[in-house]
Amino acid sequence: MPAQPRSDAPLPRPTGEAPDARLLTEAVTRLRRALRSSIRTDYPWETLPMAQVELLQVLGEHSPARVSDLAARRRLAQSTVSGLIGQMITAGLVARDVDSADRRASVVTLTDAGREKLAAWTIAHERRIDAALAALDGDSRAAITNALPALFQLAEQLGESAEGEAEQ
């Protein structure tokens, strides 16, 4: 029987992979994991799955919205979004209504409870990040602040790349 790779062994890197891309990927992954973990520790009431939070965020900016629009914005399958919306309706976070522009279609809107949950989630995360930023030295805080526009541009570029690949 051939030896199985150790689970803690480093994965081989693709040839030509840029170290910056690898490090950025690792940093983003670690930030998301640390933030999720710290929020659950510091705010145990926060149990909303990230996929639902992301839908609430989209609805906070673009409401009402059709399920197909939500799926496209989050780059998820329409059936996945429908399932999440069903859970969120049950939780009282969103409501499904008839689309006034096309009575055959439905739209999803945030409820007051959904707006409150999104606001609480946002405040909790901002407090946690503010505390972590305050613990850094001034140069590190400035570097993060200065990197924000480039990070948003990178996110846009990645989004455009994903859209182009989906169209092919």
Side-chain angles (χ1 to χ4, degrees):
M1 179 178 207
Q4 296 293 318
R6 291 186 356 228
S7 61
D8 62 344
L11 295 173
R13 279 189 275 164
T15 55
E17 181 182 341
D20 289 345
R22 181 178 51 81
L23 290 173
L24 182 57
T25 299
E26 183 178 334
V28 168
T29 300
R30 289 177 65 184
L31 281 169
R32 284 182 61 108
R33 186 178 304 125
L35 186 57
R36 255 193 331 262
S37 174
S38 69
I39 288 300
R40 300 270 194 270
T41 301
D42 294 350
Y43 304 97
W45 50 264
E46 181 49 64
T47 59
L48 204 57
M50 196 63 207
Q52 290 184 16
V53 170
E54 290 174 355
L55 289 175
L56 289 177
Q57 289 171 325
V58 171
L59 286 168
E61 295 175 16
H62 308 282
S63 186
R66 291 183 179 190
V67 170
S68 59
D69 294 335
L70 294 169
R73 287 184 185 278
R74 295 308 320 147
R75 292 180 181 79
L76 295 170
Q78 198 165 335
S79 60
T80 300
V81 173
S82 290
L84 290 168
I85 293 298
Q87 294 167 5
M88 295 165 72
I89 288 171
T90 300
L93 302 174
V94 299
R96 192 182 312 256
D97 297 308
V98 174
D99 187 346
S100 60
D102 180 355
R103 310 274 308 149
R104 298 168 297 170
S106 65
V107 292
V108 179
T109 58
L110 279 177
T111 62
D112 288 341
R115 268 188 280 290
E116 289 171 13
K117 186 75 159 177
L118 178 59
W121 185 92
T122 301
I123 289 167
H125 279 73
E126 287 175 357
R127 283 184 184 151
R128 185 67 179 135
I129 291 172
D130 279 343
L133 286 169
L136 299 176
D137 63 63
D139 289 342
S140 293
R141 281 193 308 275
I144 291 169
T145 299
N146 292 335
L148 290 174
L151 290 170
F152 279 109
Q153 288 175 344
L154 179 61
E156 295 246 345
Q157 181 62 40
L158 288 168
E160 290 171 7
S161 296
E163 287 170 8
E165 290 171 7
E167 292 171 2
Q168 294 177 1

